[in-house]
Amino acid sequence: MTTHDHNIDKVTGTPTTGHEWDGLQELNTPLPRWWLWTFYLTIIWSVGYWVVYPAWPLLSSATEGMLGWHTRTAVVEDLAALNVQRGPLVAKLEAASLDEIARDPQMLEFARAQGRAAFADNCAPCHGTGGSGAKGYPNLNDDDWLWGGKLADISQTIQFGVRSAHDKSRAGAMPAFGRDKILKSEEISEVADHVRALAGLSTERGFNPEVGRKVFADNCAVCHGEQGKGNRELGAPDLTDRIWLYGSDKQTIMDGIRNGRGAVMPHWAGRLNPSTIKALTVYVHTLGGGEK
Amino acid sequence: MGAAHTIGVKGAAAVEAPELVRLVEQAKLDPGPPDDEPLYAARRHVYAQSVQGTFRRIKWTLLLFTLGVYYLLPFVRWDRGPNAPSQAVLIDFPNRRFYFFFIEIWPQEIYYLTGLLIVAAMTLFLMNAVAGRIWCGYLCPQTVWTDLFFAIERFFEGDRREHMLADRKKLTLKTAASKIGKHITWLGVAWWTGGAWVLYFADAPTLVRELATGEAPFIAYAWIAILTLTTYVFAGWMREQVCLYMCPWPRIQAALTDEYALNVTYRYDRGEPRCSVKKSELLRSQGAKAGDCVDCQQCVHVCPTGVDIRGGANLGCIQCGLCIDACDAIMRKLGRATGLIGYETEMNIQRRLKGEPAIYRLVRARTVIYAAIIFITGGIMAYALGTRDYTGVSVIHDRNPVYVRLADGAIRNAYTIRLLNKEQEPRAFMLSVAGIGQYDLEIIGEPGREILVGPDQTRAVRALVTTREKLAPGARLNLQFVIIDSHSGERTETHDHFVGP
Ligand code: SF4
Ligand code: SF4
């Protein structure tokens, strides 16, 4: 046993904790007093926080704090600052025509960025992120447009919607030929095969082209056109191309003829500000299918 | 257990020898319950005495050099052409660039910083393996500024003895004036330290003018205030306390050292037993052993952290070498050999005591490994910088949808292509793709295939690749994206996939 019982380290003169591990002792060096003061200072500092910032919960609210600072107001301020920063570009966007935006690389880039954000917030729930679409919700990346793919067309669709509550909404619906007893079951089957034939798809055995063509000419051609090329005024799809909003199998086509189709797109005018609608228009137009 | 083996903690080692004996004796008589020991200790003020010598000269030189670099570097100009800042060293946060003479770093090249940090850490380790706390003793900002503040203090309040006497007596008008003078000078230096700091983040001459006219951004004043405060407090008031209680490096370096690492060491084989000149002559004439240490306390008095190095390796010792200078001066006066305190290892002292020759080993596993890591990392960085690309292209494939079928059955994939122009002139690039037979390439917003990118900028464009070729089901073609500088013909490429249904 050494002199440990005295709890003083011989070399440094510092008291030890009295514990020993493999011949090593831990010095019990007292903490410097300034450290203690620093600790007290941090406590005082924290009191400052209580006073300056919202801190104490009350029955239905919390203490306000001297600065009146609030997470929500902070967000609002940040957004305001952002808007100030974007201000000149937004103003430019507001003043420019859609074509001017599409031609100017800087405005185009800004509009696309704005549009992408607005699309994700407002449009993606139906059209999918990236506008990839789903059954009944058009894919906005392709070049098949129900109501037209020029900037002006897209802008109109976004502003007023399709079969929406807006006065200027795009209107026109596929009637329910079966449910409303306009066509008989056999006729529906024949015309469905005819529609598939128009698109170059296979038809069922026993399909009578004559009957199909006649039913089509009498009932469908008004909207879809003699050749089935569709009519953008009415939102009647082109039946000859490779893009099918609901599906190209015979059952789905018969469903549509029997019960009609009439999907709705809400109008955004009045809900989104004009520059956002412009940005959305440009964004959708540049996804790939935009027409000149 | 040999006394010198114990690693003491804190400046307590500076308790002077007779005092120590008294303490130990007292403890033996009255051990007292450990709970009674004080939890907090008042700080002992360190009045470091001025000293002359080799290490002091090295320290002055390094101080002038490092502070000179720090204060003046922002004003050094470097011509980078009309589109780039002309400041040699500039951290440009708003534009997200770092300039260092001929080097310009973009945020995505932050890995250079990783390399730099590796080199820095290994250099510290290497210093430590060679000669202990070289960093602490000579280069650390804490040491350098404290040294400067000590010098200012001595200028106003006199050297150790004078200063101590003045502090013990009542405050007179004269001492008060010198204290005020000292603090004003300290604050001035601290303020200029903060001022120099912000100059690294903006064009220095412009910012100096703005600061003077009160037009500089608030953040600049805030940083100056913060750094003024920290410099003044750390170098003027906290000093060795920073090293003892706040800095992690002493703890780390204590774990990194080995028996061959040189450290500032008191050669007790030569110094002990301590005795006065007269007594040593007497002892020696009797054929008894007398140490060379005359217990003059000079080594303790010059120490900026208040350590008595004769107590052995000590956490408080930043190894500045000033006690070597102090001791050498005394030894020279006494006509004895210098080097009673010097860069030495504990192992060699033990060997000398046993009559064995000292061993110094600079080349050993750890120094070689540290040096190798420094060399390799530095080499890789130098190579990367030397061959740094001034053009870059990267491609992101649209995730949703992955491919699009067009009305006529054609398949289209869309990509976001980002072009980097790291040169200081605007450049135009021709974009083309390869790896697919027949295709159409359309760049949104660009009628042709030429893309203009501004100086030192990036630009992202949306590109559509459409093919009418028949693709195998689930096709996934490797697609090359090539950009060719329309002016120089420099070619850069990357690749992605073209996905079919
Ligand atoms: S202990 Fe820390 S603060 Fe002190 S000199 Fe060394 S590195 Fe610098
Ligand atoms: S003991 Fe010597 S080397 Fe260590 S800090 Fe003090 S003067 Fe410097």
Side-chain angles (χ1 to χ4, degrees), chain B residues 168-385:
Chain B
R168 249 171 238 166
K169 281 198 221 118
K170 260 232 190 99
L171 198 67
T172 66
L173 212 60
K174 195 171 154 286
T175 50
S178 58
K179 273 195 198 304
I180 291 168
K182 172 183 84 174
H183 285 288
I184 288 174
T185 316
W186 275 1
L187 277 167
V189 174
W191 170 77
W192 187 238
T193 303
W197 174 262
V198 299
L199 297 184
Y200 284 89
F201 298 86
D203 183 57
T206 319
L207 186 58
V208 167
R209 194 169 347 103
E210 287 176 352
L211 284 169
T213 55
E215 290 163 10
F218 171 74
I219 189 80
Y221 294 106
W223 272 107
I224 293 177
I226 292 171
L227 271 118
T228 306
L229 188 76
T230 50
T231 310
Y232 174 69
V233 171
F234 286 173
W237 294 90
M238 302 289 290
R239 295 179 170 173
E240 82 287 350
Q241 301 288 307
V242 172
C243 306
L244 289 170
Y245 298 107
M246 292 163 72
C247 179
W249 178 230
R251 275 79 185 166
I252 299 170
Q253 72 87 31
L256 284 169
T257 192
D258 70 352
E259 67 270 36
Y260 292 106
L262 293 172
N263 282 306
V264 174
T265 307
Y266 165 65
R267 293 185 168 107
Y268 56 84
D269 57 320
R270 198 188 128 190
E272 301 291 316
R274 298 168 201 176
C275 44
S276 65
V277 180
K278 261 203 208 112
K279 194 166 166 220
S280 70
E281 274 161 9
L282 185 71
L283 280 171
R284 278 174 194 162
S285 70
Q286 292 167 350
K289 182 172 170 6
D292 273 345
C293 175
V294 288
D295 212 1
C296 65
Q297 305 281 329
Q298 280 303 303
C299 56
V300 185
H301 292 167
V302 299
C303 178
T305 67
V307 163
D308 183 348
I309 193 65
R310 295 171 302 171
N314 191 305
L315 186 100
C317 169
I318 57 168
Q319 298 189 12
C320 62
L322 292 182
C323 53
I324 304 182
D325 282 347
C327 186
D328 281 355
I330 299 293
M331 289 300 122
R332 263 187 227 109
K333 252 183 226 155
L334 299 178
R336 290 179 183 170
T338 58
L340 178 53
I341 303 175
Y343 275 97
E344 183 58 293
T345 66
E346 177 67 33
M347 178 185 67
N348 280 343
I349 295 178
Q350 294 294 330
R351 289 178 68 90
R352 272 203 218 91
L353 281 175
K354 285 187 226 135
E356 295 164 6
I359 318 174
Y360 297 97
R361 196 167 291 161
L362 185 63
V363 181
R364 48 191 206 274
R366 66 179 67 202
T367 52
V368 170
I369 292 171
Y370 294 152
I373 297 176
I374 293 170
F375 186 75
I376 292 167
T377 317
I380 293 173
M381 277 173 60
Y383 177 78
L385 274 172

Side-chain angles (χ1 to χ4, degrees), chain A:
Chain A
M1 217 34 217
T2 45
T3 55
H4 301 155
D5 10 323
H6 302 298
N7 295 327
I8 284 273
D9 174 54
K10 251 210 280 184
V11 179
T12 60
T14 310
T16 73
T17 55
H19 308 147
E20 183 184 323
W21 295 272
D22 296 340
L24 295 176
Q25 300 162 62
E26 188 185 14
L27 298 187
N28 193 10
T29 312
L31 213 56
R33 202 170 287 283
W34 62 260
W35 194 283
L36 187 71
W37 286 113
T38 311
F39 177 58
Y40 289 151
L41 213 68
T42 58
I43 294 176
I44 296 169
W45 183 260
S46 74
V47 174
Y49 266 107
W50 293 349
V51 181
V52 172
Y53 286 105
W56 288 99
L58 307 173
L59 271 187
S60 59
S61 62
T63 53
E64 282 290 325
M66 264 163 46
L67 292 183
W69 186 90
H70 198 282
T71 42
R72 275 196 202 158
T73 48
V75 171
V76 170
E77 274 163 27
D78 284 355
L79 285 177
L82 193 66
N83 281 335
V84 168
Q85 205 181 13
R86 286 180 182 165
L89 280 168
V90 172
K92 229 176 140 188
L93 213 62
E94 268 165 7
S97 75
L98 287 167
D99 285 319
E100 282 165 356
I101 298 171
R103 273 199 305 270
D104 178 313
Q106 190 207 17
M107 270 203 278
L108 182 71
E109 195 178 336
F110 181 64
R112 289 201 73 239
Q114 291 267 79
R116 184 175 326 124
F119 190 91
D121 286 347
N122 302 289
C123 317
C126 294
H127 288 285
T129 48
S132 54
K135 186 177 173 178
Y137 302 98
N139 183 342
L140 303 174
N141 289 267
D142 62 31
D143 56 349
D144 184 33
W145 298 91
L146 294 172
W147 303 92
K150 294 198 175 60
L151 281 165
D153 300 329
I154 298 171
S155 170
Q156 188 185 341
T157 309
I158 297 174
Q159 287 185 66
F160 308 126
V162 176
R163 299 170 200 105
S164 73
H166 200 281
D167 298 341
K168 295 192 191 157
S169 167
R170 294 190 182 275
M174 168 95 177
F177 288 96
R179 208 175 53 209
D180 292 347
K181 311 237 169 11
I182 306 168
L183 291 177
K184 292 201 267 304
S185 252
E186 309 85 69
E187 289 172 319
I188 291 175
S189 169
E190 294 294 348
V191 82
D193 267 323
H194 176 76
V195 166
R196 280 180 58 84
L198 282 175
L201 301 171
S202 63
T203 51
E204 255 178 24
R205 221 176 324 158
F207 161 54
N208 184 339
E210 280 312 307
V211 180
R213 192 173 304 127
K214 185 161 182 321
V215 175
F216 189 85
D218 293 348
N219 299 280
C220 317
V222 197
C223 297
H224 290 284
E226 292 295 340
Q227 312 298 320
K229 285 286 188 192
N231 182 346
R232 287 182 174 180
E233 290 297 307
L234 303 165
D238 183 344
L239 302 172
T240 64
D241 66 16
R242 302 283 304 272
I243 294 168
W244 297 84
L245 186 51
Y246 292 91
S248 62
D249 60 294
K250 193 177 169 190
Q251 198 53 50
T252 307
I253 296 174
M254 290 204 311
D255 264 2
I257 301 171
R258 208 174 278 128
N259 303 317
R261 300 280 188 207
V264 170
M265 157 143 171
H267 61 94
W268 295 96
R271 282 191 272 176
L272 296 177
N273 59 37
S275 73
T276 307
I277 291 181
K278 266 189 191 168
L280 272 174
T281 305
V282 171
Y283 174 69
V284 170
H285 189 258
T286 55
L287 281 177
E291 293 172 347
K292 294 266 149 35

